[in-house]
């Protein structure tokens, strides 16, 4: 949502590049010793690290920011809700992961909950959504993130999290750099030096870049590649709660119904066989 608000303030690839470059500045002092200590492991797994950096750092956020130039926040949320289904398909097609019925049912129920929130409880509102070019780019971002997540669970190199994340960020920033320079050459646009832009950059560096990637790595390690994707569908519910707490926006019945459906989908997907 913040990325959508920054359209016109930050060129998309500039935001992606500086987000990760500053994240590297923040994490490097804490991870330098670990990176040096595990330099042999890093060298031996460099091709895999390059792939995870390309997909999880270079592609995912850059494609999201490009998508939000034309896609709406609602459309982006709706496409993001397809994450569990994309992850199931990627796992079955490329990682030999069996898909059981309860996972499909959970994905469908969770997606229904997101649709209910976006439609404000009136399904006819969905007919008013317009498809933009950015929506297809958003789908590509979701595909990149799904493959990245499966690589984490199936081929993650034996590195401590700080070293792993630091190497990914460094390689990802290098991957983004030529595209960022090309964007600047073509558009000659640079972010304005305002307090709002600085605060937004600090936010994306500390929370979506460092804290969120740390939590995602730990979550995938504990419960696998598929289940964390279902929790992404709670985004519109969290947005409603924050709007209520910060902006005093009312929470409607459709929020509660949609949230209940999303939680039911997560439960169905995570329920273990007897």
């Amino acid at each position: 949502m913040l990325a959508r608000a920054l359209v016109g303030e930050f060129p998309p690839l500039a935001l992606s590049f500086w987000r990760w470059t500053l994240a590297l500045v923040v994490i490097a002092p804490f991870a330098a010793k670990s990176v040096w200590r595990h330099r042999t492991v890093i060298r031996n797994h460099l091709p895999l690290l390059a792939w995870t950096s390309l997909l999880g750092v270079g592609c995912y956020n850059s494609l999201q920011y490009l998508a939000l130039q034309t896609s709406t926040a609602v459309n982006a949320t709706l496409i993001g809700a397809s994450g569990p289904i994309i992850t199931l398909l990627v796992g079955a097609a490329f990682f030999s992961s069996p898909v059981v019925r309860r996972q499909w049912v959970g994905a469908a129920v969770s997606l229904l909950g997101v649709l209910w929130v976006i439609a404000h409880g009136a399904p006819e509102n969905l007919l008013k959504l317009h498809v933009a070019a950015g929506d297809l780019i958003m789908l590509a971002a979701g595909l990149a993130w799904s493959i990245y997540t499966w690589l984490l669970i199936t081929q993650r190199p034996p590195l401590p999290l700080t070293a792993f994340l630091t190497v990914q960020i460094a390689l990802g920033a290098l991957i983004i750099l030529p595209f960022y320079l090309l964007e600047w050459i073509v558009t000659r646009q640079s972010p304005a030096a305002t307090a709002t832009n600085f605060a937004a950059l600090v936010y994306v560096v500390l929370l979506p870049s460092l804290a969120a990637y740390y939590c995602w790595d730990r979550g995938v390690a504990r419960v696998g590649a598929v289940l964390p994707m279902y929790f992404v569908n709670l985004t519109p519910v969290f947005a409603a709660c924050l709007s209520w707490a910060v902006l005093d926006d009312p929470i409607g019945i459709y929020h509660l119904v949609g949230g209940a459906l999303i939680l039911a989908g997560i439960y169905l997907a995570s329920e273990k066989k007897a």
Side-chain angles (χ1 to χ4, degrees):
M1 301 303 172
L2 177 63
R4 179 62 181 171
L6 289 176
V7 170
E9 298 291 332
F10 260 96
L13 294 176
L15 178 57
S16 186
F17 174 75
W18 287 112
R19 161 186 176 162
W20 291 114
T21 299
L22 294 178
L24 181 62
V25 171
V26 172
I27 197 175
F30 303 99
K33 289 184 178 180
S34 182
V35 170
W36 178 253
R37 190 180 307 120
H38 296 88
R39 61 190 182 279
T40 302
V41 177
I42 292 170
R43 184 169 57 249
N44 292 339
H45 292 83
L46 198 54
L48 175 59
L49 288 166
W51 275 110
T52 58
S53 302
L54 171 66
L55 294 168
V57 175
C59 286
Y60 178 60
N61 298 117
S62 299
L63 289 174
Q64 275 191 322
Y65 297 154
L66 284 169
L68 288 169
Q69 302 300 301
T70 54
S71 182
T72 64
V74 171
N75 281 26
T77 301
L78 181 57
I79 294 168
S82 66
I85 296 174
I86 293 175
T87 304
L88 289 172
L89 293 173
V90 168
F94 301 108
F95 294 92
S96 302
S97 174
V99 181
V100 297
R101 183 182 300 175
R102 61 183 170 79
Q103 290 177 309
W104 289 119
V105 173
V109 173
S110 182
L111 178 59
L112 179 61
V114 175
L115 290 170
W116 196 257
V117 174
I118 288 175
H120 290 198
E124 62 271 15
N125 288 336
L126 295 175
L127 299 176
K128 301 176 183 178
L129 297 177
H130 299 286
V131 178
D135 298 340
L136 299 178
I137 300 175
M138 195 70 192
L139 276 175
L143 178 61
W145 187 253
S146 294
I147 298 172
Y148 168 75
T149 301
W150 275 109
L151 288 176
L152 286 186
I153 195 62
T154 60
Q155 301 181 42
R156 188 190 189 284
L159 287 170
L161 181 54
T162 52
F164 182 47
L165 184 55
T166 301
V167 173
Q168 285 187 96
I169 291 174
L171 292 175
L174 285 175
I175 291 169
I176 298 167
L177 177 59
F179 299 98
Y180 161 55
L181 294 176
L182 180 62
E183 176 187 68
W184 184 82
I185 291 171
V186 172
T187 66
R188 295 291 177 175
Q189 292 181 350
S190 298
T194 64
T196 300
N197 284 349
F198 177 76
L201 196 55
V202 170
Y203 168 80
V204 297
V205 166
L206 296 181
L207 294 181
S209 299
L210 297 177
Y213 273 67
Y214 171 87
C215 293
W216 192 262
D217 185 274
R218 294 299 83 205
V220 168
R222 288 172 180 264
V223 300
V226 177
L227 185 59
M229 285 290 189
Y230 289 84
F231 285 86
V232 176
N233 287 355
L234 286 169
T235 300
V237 179
F238 291 149
C241 292
L242 287 172
S243 296
W244 170 73
V246 178
L247 303 177
D248 202 27
D249 288 341
I251 291 181
I253 297 297
Y254 66 89
H255 287 118
L256 301 178
V257 173
L261 287 169
I262 294 168
L263 291 174
I266 293 172
Y267 173 77
L268 289 170
S270 60
E271 185 181 12
K272 304 296 183 182
K273 292 182 178 180

